[in-house]
């Protein structure tokens, strides 16, 4: 039978043009992420092959990896498959530029792994950066990375692809990803997210029209004359290119479609059973291959779309030559494909629909028998079931009816994923294990207890407190019923207490009390210190800072006495987190020291989730000191990749807050909206309210008072009466709205209202309300000294706040006649505010300028001229007008407002040049005469 593969793309001219442009950009140094999206059979893989051809023609290195459909997703599978091609071609990451990433690359491609790598720190973000550098360093000529079937990808792979999307623009690498957009999946959610952020482009493929189907048939048959009978034969293809090829192949195989001297003919006396789906096409070809080939393909289908053919002799009782002969026949009728195999022993069905069609024809007893044989073959060929073999064996045991064995293997898979920080994959495997364990007839509760304990740990680390609570309660009941291992009971009680600390303090207290009662019976020092460490965290969450600090130091001392190994290291890490957060209110240097020590423990213990937490804490300190977000962004990538949902939401909020102090307000607004959606999905109401208020704050900066007020009220409705939310909506958002409308009296009233909420809750991170309050009190003649001291006592004298506190103190020093000291403090305030958007410095100077004029310190005239120019350029016309009014009142030269349309560069705005004058300069530069 002649192959019926279409030799060219049909009705994809625009897509080909876009692909060619993307490949061309990559070859010239500008990479990116491009999606090929559409339903099954629409031609995504064919278009991906077109990208491969284009890249090969331009000398780019091509790497291909594919996600697979399975009950449990294997972390990094498509990435590993893609890198194995490099490894087989002799590439090794021995370049000096890759030396620091050798261990990380070894974790993605096992052939590169070395014994010493076991001691190296390998975090998800390092793995992503390692891949990025490998692509850039090992392939300087450029590369194409194709990831197929992203709808089946694991969360860890999706996180790596997102990291690439954020960082490919400056290197010659194009990543092309195919996915189905017609069915829900994590890959589809990821696709929508990154395209919404505009860090990736997308080509959405649609079915072929009738004319396109006819063109495709002509290309497949190698003729310009397609009989009407052939067109009728293809009526059931529904415009899917894959279906067109499959139907033609089936008709040719059956003899219904023949090519004779008169051209292609459809023989009416021969009928090819072609239903509306591919099912009939596959069945017809199988029927013509005979029972041996059918048996081999049925066994292969049980193994998956991509399968290791060396397992088939064990499953079929055939010799290797007999199996290969059968597979060769299947290839000839286009049922299997060898072109995309990543290893010599791997083959794959040409389409997932082909495999599904074969499986659908197996009777349940036959499927059970074949699944059992497949599981036995895998366990014989791969002792210990390393990597993805464990998940596949579990899936096969479940299909064979051995739920207990399947649950045990999924438990092992979940524990492995947990050790590597892949929390989403771990939780997924453990949930499936839990369902299978519940379906077993075994009376032994040990397996169910082991599964639930691992799931509680995974959910706790991921911050999925809503799902954790019922699982933990059931596990506690099982452990109490079993009546053994009191330390194990204590651990589960503490995990539950830790998870419930913020959401349900009463439940957390009950679990803590139960854990402490058991610890007193056990009389084990580390168990008692564990209770102290978690109690410290709960105390901190409820505002008992002194109690939290005392408990944390006691737990740390006990852990240090035990040598900081094993469980003692866990206790020390927990205690240091609490210590760092309490110190954050008093001494940022001491807080950083505690968090750095926690990070060292996390690195020594090789626990990815702990490193995420420690990096998050250190990144928070960075943002408080100088607004730097590099470590916080790294922690976010790690958290998203590991599935630490609650941590990722909090980090998103912190990044949005930090960005809101910069110039890219659109970026901050989008991040705040994403955080709101994520928080709402996981019922994290506190984070949701703060994310909404941040959106109100951005509207306030833009002087949109109505939008700011409306959005702030929406935040207040999320948690009615919550003191922290009210402290922010009044002391930050509303004050900002008033200041950017130059309504100082209203801002002062709102700031004072906010302070009525400050004592109702312990605010464990500095808030901008303190900086506003201090400077407004100072310039209005209120209790400026007291405001500054209270702000410092709240730990707010850092970063942005420190700048405003310096300006506030300058006003007070100037008022007391200390002009030099006042000028120095104003200069210090300018330096502290330099990392943020320039309008924050200009706003502070507009507030203190009247006092500076009156008391004779600083350079208020220069400040106001620069501020007026910057405010006008930024559309803050009321503030610009206020600055000019202050200059006029002081008898200083007042810069004119521009009436032109040109943008004035910052350097020229500082010289007082207006937009109208800039219009003239540009005309002069073009050589225009005066008259012109």
């Amino acid at each position: 039978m002649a192959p019926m593969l279409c030799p060219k793309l049909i009705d994809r001219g625009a897509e080909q043009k876009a692909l060619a442009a993307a490949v061309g950009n990559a070859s010239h140094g500008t990479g990116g992420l491009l999606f090929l999206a559409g339903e099954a059979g629409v031609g995504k893989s064919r278009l991906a092959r077109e990208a491969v051809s284009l890249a090969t023609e331009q000398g780019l290195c091509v790497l291909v990896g594919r996600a697979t459909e399975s009950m449990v997703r294997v972390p990094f599978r498509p990435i590993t498959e893609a890198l194995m091609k490099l490894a087989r071609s002799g590439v090794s990451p021995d370049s000096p530029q890759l030396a620091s990433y050798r261990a990380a690359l070894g974790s993605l491609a096992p052939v590169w792994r070395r014994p010493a790598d076991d001691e190296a720190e390998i975090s998800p973000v390092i793995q992503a950066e390692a891949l990025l550098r490998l692509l850039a360093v090992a392939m300087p000529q450029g590369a194409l990375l194709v990831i197929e079937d992203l709808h089946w990808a694991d969360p860890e792979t999706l996180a790596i692809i997102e990291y690439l999307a954020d960082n490919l623009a400056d290197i010659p690498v194009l990543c092309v990803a195919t996915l189905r957009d017609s069915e829900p999946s994590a890959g589809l959610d990821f696709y929508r997210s990154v395209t919404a952020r505009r860090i990736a482009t997308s080509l959405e493929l649609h079915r072929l029209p009738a004319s396109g189907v006819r063109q495709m048939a002509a290309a497949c048959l190698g003729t310009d004359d397609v009989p009407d009978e052939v067109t009728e034969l293809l009526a059931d293809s529904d415009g899917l290119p894959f279906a067109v090829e499959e139907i033609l192949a089936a008709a040719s195989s059956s003899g219904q479609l023949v090519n004779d001297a008169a051209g292609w003919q459809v023989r009416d006396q021969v009928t090819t059973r072609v239903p509306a789906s591919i099912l009939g096409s596959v069945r017809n070809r199988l029927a013509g291959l005979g029972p041996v080939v059918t048996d081999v393909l049925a066994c292969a289908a049980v193994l998956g779309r991509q399968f290791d053919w060396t397992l088939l002799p064990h499953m079929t009782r055939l010799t290797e030559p007999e199996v290969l002969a059968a597979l060769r026949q299947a290839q000839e009728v286009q049922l299997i494909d060898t072109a995309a195999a990543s290893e010599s022993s791997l083959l794959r069905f040409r389409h997932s629909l082909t495999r599904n069609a074969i499986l659908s024809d197996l009777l349940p007893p036959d499927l059970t028998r074949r699944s059992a044989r497949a599981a036995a073959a895998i366990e014989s060929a791969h002792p210990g079931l390393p990597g993805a073999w464990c998940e596949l064996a579990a899936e096969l045991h479940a299909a064979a009816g051995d739920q207990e064995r399947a649950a045990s293997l999924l438990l092992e898979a979940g524990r492995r994923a947990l050790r590597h920080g892949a929390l989403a994959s771990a939780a997924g495997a453990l949930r499936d294990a839990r369902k299978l364990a519940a379906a077993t007839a075994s009376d032994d509760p040990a397996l169910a207890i082991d599964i639930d304990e691992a799931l509680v740990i995974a959910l706790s680390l991921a911050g999925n407190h809503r799902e954790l609570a019922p699982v933990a309660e059931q596990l506690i009941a099982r452990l109490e019923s079993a009546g053994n291992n009191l330390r194990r009971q204590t651990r589960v009680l503490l995990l539950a207490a830790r998870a419930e600390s913020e959401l349900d303090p009463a439940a957390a207290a009950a679990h803590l009390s139960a854990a402490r009662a058991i610890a007193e019976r056990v009389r084990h020092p580390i168990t008692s210190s564990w209770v102290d460490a978690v109690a410290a965290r709960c105390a901190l969450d409820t505002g008992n800072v002194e109690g939290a600090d005392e408990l944390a130091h006691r737990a740390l001392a006990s852990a240090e006495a035990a040598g900081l190994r094993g469980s003692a290291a866990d206790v020390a890490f927990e205690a240091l987190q609490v210590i760092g957060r309490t110190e954050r209110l008093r001494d940022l240097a001491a807080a950083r020291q505690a968090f750095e020590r926690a990070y060292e423990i996390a690195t020594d213990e090789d626990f990815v989730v702990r490193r995420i937490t420690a990096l998050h804490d250190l990144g928070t300190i960075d943002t408080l000191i100088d607004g730097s977000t590099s470590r916080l962004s790294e922690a976010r990538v790690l958290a998203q990749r590991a599935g630490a949902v609650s941590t990722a939401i909090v980090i998103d909020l912190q990044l949005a807050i930090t960005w809101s102090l910069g110039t890219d307000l659109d970026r901050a607004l989008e991040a705040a909206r994403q955080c709101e959606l994520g928080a709402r999905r996981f019922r994290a109401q506190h984070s949701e309210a703060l994310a909404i208020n941040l959106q109100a704050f951005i509207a306030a900066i833009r002087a949109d008072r109505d939008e700011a007020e409306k959005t702030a009220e929406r935040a207040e409705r999320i948690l009615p009466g919550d003191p922290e939310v009210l402290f922010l909506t009044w002391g930050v958002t509303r004050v900002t709205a008033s200041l950017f409308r130059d309504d100082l009296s209203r801002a002062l009233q709102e700031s004072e209202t906010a302070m009525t909420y400050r004592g109702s809750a312990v605010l464990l991170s500095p808030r901008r309300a303190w900086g506003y309050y201090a400077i407004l009190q100072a310039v209005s003649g209120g209790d400026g000294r007291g405001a500054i001291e209270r702000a410092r006592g709240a730990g707010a004298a850092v970063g942005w706040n420190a700048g405003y506190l310096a300006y506030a103190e300058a006003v007070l020093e100037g008022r007391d006649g200390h002009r030099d000291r006042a000028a120095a403090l104003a200069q210090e305030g300018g330096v502290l505010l330099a990392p943020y958007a320039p309008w924050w410095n200009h706003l502070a100077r507009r507030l203190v300028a009247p006092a500076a004029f009156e008391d004779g310190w600083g350079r208020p005239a220069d400040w106001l001229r620069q501020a007026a120019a910057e405010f006008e350029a930024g559309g803050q016309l009321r503030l610009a007008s206020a600055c000019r009014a202050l200059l006029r009142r002081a008898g200083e030269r007042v810069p004119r407002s521009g009436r032109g349309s040109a943008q004035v560069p910052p350097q020229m705005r500082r010289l007082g040049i207006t937009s109208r004058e800039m219009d003239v300069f540009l005309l002069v530069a073009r050589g225009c005469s005066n008259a012109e």
Side-chain angles (χ1 to χ4, degrees):
M1 184 192 75
M4 289 297 173
L5 300 178
C6 187
K8 62 181 181 180
L9 285 166
I10 303 298
D11 199 36
R12 299 288 190 245
E15 291 84 353
Q16 283 179 283
K17 185 176 179 180
L19 267 182
V23 172
N25 289 339
S27 66
H28 290 92
T30 303
L33 172 60
L34 173 66
F35 288 104
L36 304 178
E39 63 183 306
V42 80
K44 303 180 295 296
S45 294
R46 177 63 182 85
L47 200 58
R49 290 198 296 274
E50 179 72 8
V52 169
S53 298
L54 290 169
T56 303
E57 290 173 4
Q58 297 197 31
L60 273 66
C61 178
V62 176
L63 303 176
V64 180
R66 180 184 301 276
T68 58
E69 184 181 22
S70 63
M71 185 166 64
V72 180
R73 293 171 180 168
V74 182
F76 318 123
R77 188 200 180 286
I79 306 298
T80 298
E81 181 181 352
L83 292 181
M84 289 305 293
K85 177 183 177 181
L86 277 184
R88 287 193 300 275
S89 66
V91 173
S92 180
D94 294 324
S95 167
Q97 299 100 310
L98 298 175
S100 299
Y101 298 92
R102 177 64 188 259
L105 291 169
S107 70
L108 295 175
V111 71
W112 290 335
R113 192 169 182 84
R114 300 171 301 183
D117 292 344
D118 290 335
E119 300 178 2
E121 177 188 353
I122 302 175
S123 68
V125 74
I126 291 176
Q127 289 170 312
E129 180 64 20
L131 175 60
L132 190 71
R133 294 196 180 217
L134 176 71
L135 295 173
V137 173
M139 290 158 279
Q141 77 277 21
L144 170 68
L145 173 63
V146 178
I147 303 294
E148 290 227 51
D149 296 332
L150 202 67
H151 45 277
W152 288 325
D154 56 280
E156 291 71 36
T157 294
L158 295 178
I160 283 187
I161 301 301
E162 182 177 18
Y163 188 93
L164 294 182
D166 283 325
N167 294 279
L168 284 178
D170 298 324
I171 64 173
V173 176
L174 172 65
C175 179
V176 172
T178 69
L179 85 157
R180 295 179 185 174
D181 61 3
S182 56
E183 55 193 55
S185 69
L188 181 59
D189 292 340
F190 165 79
Y191 159 73
R192 289 170 175 165
S193 173
V194 297
T195 52
R197 290 170 51 204
R198 295 184 176 88
I199 59 172
T201 54
S202 171
L203 298 178
E204 296 182 359
L205 307 187
H206 303 284
R207 296 186 180 191
L208 298 177
S211 60
V213 171
R214 193 177 184 90
Q215 290 178 43
M216 187 172 182
C220 289
L221 299 175
T223 180
D224 293 329
D225 184 20
V226 179
D228 291 339
E229 293 84 351
V230 173
T231 304
E232 293 174 6
L233 197 66
L234 296 173
D236 289 331
S237 70
D238 293 326
L240 293 174
F242 174 74
V244 171
E245 293 177 340
E246 294 297 292
I247 292 171
L248 289 174
S252 177
S253 178
S254 69
Q256 184 182 16
L257 180 63
V258 295
N259 189 17
D260 55 25
W264 286 99
Q265 306 290 327
V266 175
R267 298 165 58 187
D268 293 334
Q269 64 272 29
V270 178
T271 302
T272 302
R273 291 166 37 200
V274 182
S277 67
I278 301 300
L279 181 62
S281 171
V282 176
R283 283 175 176 168
N284 290 333
R285 276 175 283 173
L286 282 175
L289 292 175
V292 174
V293 179
T294 300
D295 182 50
V296 170
L297 290 180
C299 290
V302 169
L303 290 171
R305 184 188 175 188
Q306 184 165 279
F307 57 90
D308 185 345
W309 75 266
T310 63
L311 297 172
L312 297 177
H314 186 284
M315 296 174 63
T316 59
R317 309 291 197 271
L318 297 174
T319 64
E320 286 193 358
E322 289 172 328
V323 168
L324 287 173
L327 292 173
R328 194 171 295 110
Q329 292 183 63
Q331 181 186 15
E332 289 172 355
V333 295
Q334 301 175 30
L335 288 174
I336 66 171
D337 181 14
T338 60
S342 61
E343 296 181 21
S344 59
S345 65
L346 294 181
L347 301 175
R348 70 182 181 95
F349 288 96
R350 187 161 173 264
H351 198 280
S352 59
L353 298 176
T354 305
R355 181 219 175 197
N356 293 340
I358 294 172
L359 288 176
S360 69
D361 276 348
L362 296 179
L363 293 173
D366 192 16
L367 179 60
T368 298
R369 178 178 59 84
R370 292 180 189 275
S371 297
R373 282 188 185 178
I378 290 173
E379 290 176 338
S380 175
H382 302 281
L385 298 175
W389 294 114
C390 185
E391 287 85 348
L392 180 56
E395 186 174 343
L396 291 168
H397 277 295
D402 189 354
Q403 285 93 346
E404 187 169 357
R405 174 62 175 160
S408 297
L409 291 175
L410 286 175
L411 170 60
E412 175 59 25
R415 284 171 170 168
R416 291 178 185 177
L418 197 56
R419 286 194 294 271
H420 289 89
L423 300 183
S425 294
L430 294 166
R431 288 187 193 99
D432 291 334
R434 198 168 190 255
K435 292 176 185 176
L436 290 171
T440 64
S442 173
D443 294 328
D444 183 7
L447 177 60
I449 288 174
D450 288 344
I451 293 170
D452 279 0
E453 184 176 33
L455 182 56
V456 164
I457 294 171
L459 295 174
S460 175
L461 293 171
N464 189 347
H465 301 155
R466 180 178 56 178
E467 185 180 350
L468 182 147
V471 178
E473 291 296 337
Q474 188 171 349
L475 176 57
I476 291 168
R478 282 177 173 165
L479 287 169
E480 290 176 347
S481 177
N484 57 10
N485 203 332
L486 294 177
R487 292 181 63 191
R488 196 174 187 182
Q489 291 184 44
T490 305
R491 184 185 189 192
V492 176
L493 286 165
L494 292 176
L495 285 171
R498 194 180 188 281
E500 295 162 344
S501 178
E502 288 188 67
L503 302 177
D504 191 348
H511 284 134
L512 263 178
S513 178
R516 195 173 290 283
I518 295 175
E520 290 173 357
R521 290 166 58 194
V522 172
R523 295 186 179 279
H524 189 281
I526 291 302
T527 302
S528 298
S529 60
W530 246 123
V531 176
D532 283 342
V534 175
R537 172 62 65 94
C538 294
L540 190 64
D541 288 339
T542 56
N544 183 4
V545 177
E546 292 184 4
D549 197 46
E550 180 182 347
L551 286 164
H553 277 92
R554 189 166 76 190
L556 179 61
S558 178
E560 289 172 334
L564 295 182
R565 290 183 299 273
S567 297
D570 295 337
V571 172
F573 182 84
E574 186 83 14
L576 284 166
Q577 274 194 293
V578 175
I579 292 169
R581 292 175 188 182
T582 57
E583 287 291 353
R584 199 163 66 192
L585 296 170
R586 302 184 289 256
D587 185 344
L588 287 181
R592 174 178 277 173
Q593 185 177 8
F595 291 142
E596 285 175 345
R597 193 175 175 200
Y599 186 79
E600 290 174 4
I601 291 174
T603 303
D604 290 342
E605 290 295 304
D606 193 28
F607 194 178
V608 172
V609 178
R610 281 206 196 116
R611 287 201 294 276
I612 295 171
T613 304
L615 197 61
H616 173 204
D617 288 327
L618 287 169
T620 301
I621 296 295
D622 291 344
T623 62
L624 295 175
I625 292 176
D626 58 12
S628 170
T629 61
S630 58
R631 283 204 280 202
L632 204 56
S633 296
E634 183 182 349
R636 174 181 177 271
V637 171
L638 285 166
Q640 288 185 323
R641 182 169 172 182
V645 178
S646 61
T647 300
I649 289 172
V650 172
I651 294 174
D652 280 340
L653 178 61
Q654 289 177 283
L655 286 171
I657 290 171
T658 303
W659 292 334
S660 72
L661 293 175
T663 56
D664 194 346
L665 295 180
D666 288 337
R667 180 189 191 189
L669 183 61
E670 178 61 27
R673 286 170 175 166
Q674 290 296 325
C675 180
E676 177 193 352
L677 292 175
R680 184 179 303 138
R681 188 179 305 120
F682 289 95
R683 297 182 181 176
Q685 290 184 307
H686 183 260
S687 294
E688 181 184 357
L690 298 189
I692 294 171
N693 182 63
L694 184 58
Q695 297 168 50
F697 172 69
I698 294 169
I701 296 173
R702 290 171 165 165
D704 189 345
R705 176 86 204 194
D706 292 340
E707 178 65 21
E709 184 70 40
K710 180 175 66 176
T711 309
E713 289 173 353
R714 185 160 66 91
E716 291 166 349
R717 287 194 296 271
I718 298 294
L719 289 173
D722 183 85
E724 184 171 9
V725 173
L726 292 169
F727 185 72
L728 291 171
T729 55
W730 282 97
V732 178
T733 298
R734 290 184 174 92
V735 171
T736 300
S738 295
L739 289 177
F740 275 84
R741 291 173 67 87
D742 203 51
D743 190 344
L744 271 58
S745 61
R746 183 170 181 174
L748 178 61
Q749 292 172 1
E750 291 161 340
S751 178
E752 290 175 342
T753 299
M755 286 300 127
T756 63
Y757 301 109
R758 76 185 189 282
S760 303
V762 175
L763 308 178
L764 296 176
S765 60
R767 304 297 186 188
R768 276 160 276 180
W770 290 108
Y772 277 151
Y773 180 63
I775 199 169
L776 287 170
Q777 287 294 312
V779 299
S780 67
D783 184 14
R785 293 286 181 194
I788 293 171
E789 290 306 314
R790 284 193 290 276
R792 288 172 176 163
V798 293
W800 185 96
N801 270 334
Y804 271 65
L805 291 176
Y807 274 115
E809 191 172 1
V811 171
L812 300 176
E813 291 292 330
R815 193 170 294 156
D816 290 342
H818 306 147
R819 296 178 181 178
D820 291 343
R821 173 63 178 157
L825 283 166
Q827 185 175 3
E828 179 185 339
V831 171
L832 290 167
L833 293 172
Y836 308 103
W839 52 73
W840 297 116
N841 201 27
H842 295 310
L843 179 62
R845 288 173 170 177
R846 179 265 172 270
L847 292 172
V848 304
F853 275 129
E854 182 177 346
D855 299 324
W857 55 271
R859 297 184 295 108
D862 291 342
W863 295 344
L864 291 174
R865 290 190 190 100
Q866 291 178 16
E870 293 285 351
F871 284 139
E872 185 167 5
Q876 304 288 357
L877 302 183
R878 290 197 181 191
L879 285 171
S881 177
C883 291
R884 286 193 293 271
L886 290 172
L887 285 169
R888 194 174 296 111
R889 193 179 309 147
E892 298 285 344
R893 177 179 60 85
V894 180
R896 293 170 294 148
S897 59
R899 304 186 308 279
S901 59
Q903 292 292 320
V904 184
Q907 308 96 305
M908 302 182 80
R909 281 202 303 272
R910 285 194 288 271
L911 296 174
I913 292 171
T914 68
S915 57
R916 178 59 175 163
E917 289 167 340
M918 196 68 204
D919 284 340
V920 176
F921 291 149
L922 292 174
L923 292 171
V924 170
R926 286 167 50 187
C928 294
S929 66
N930 285 350
E932 291 171 324

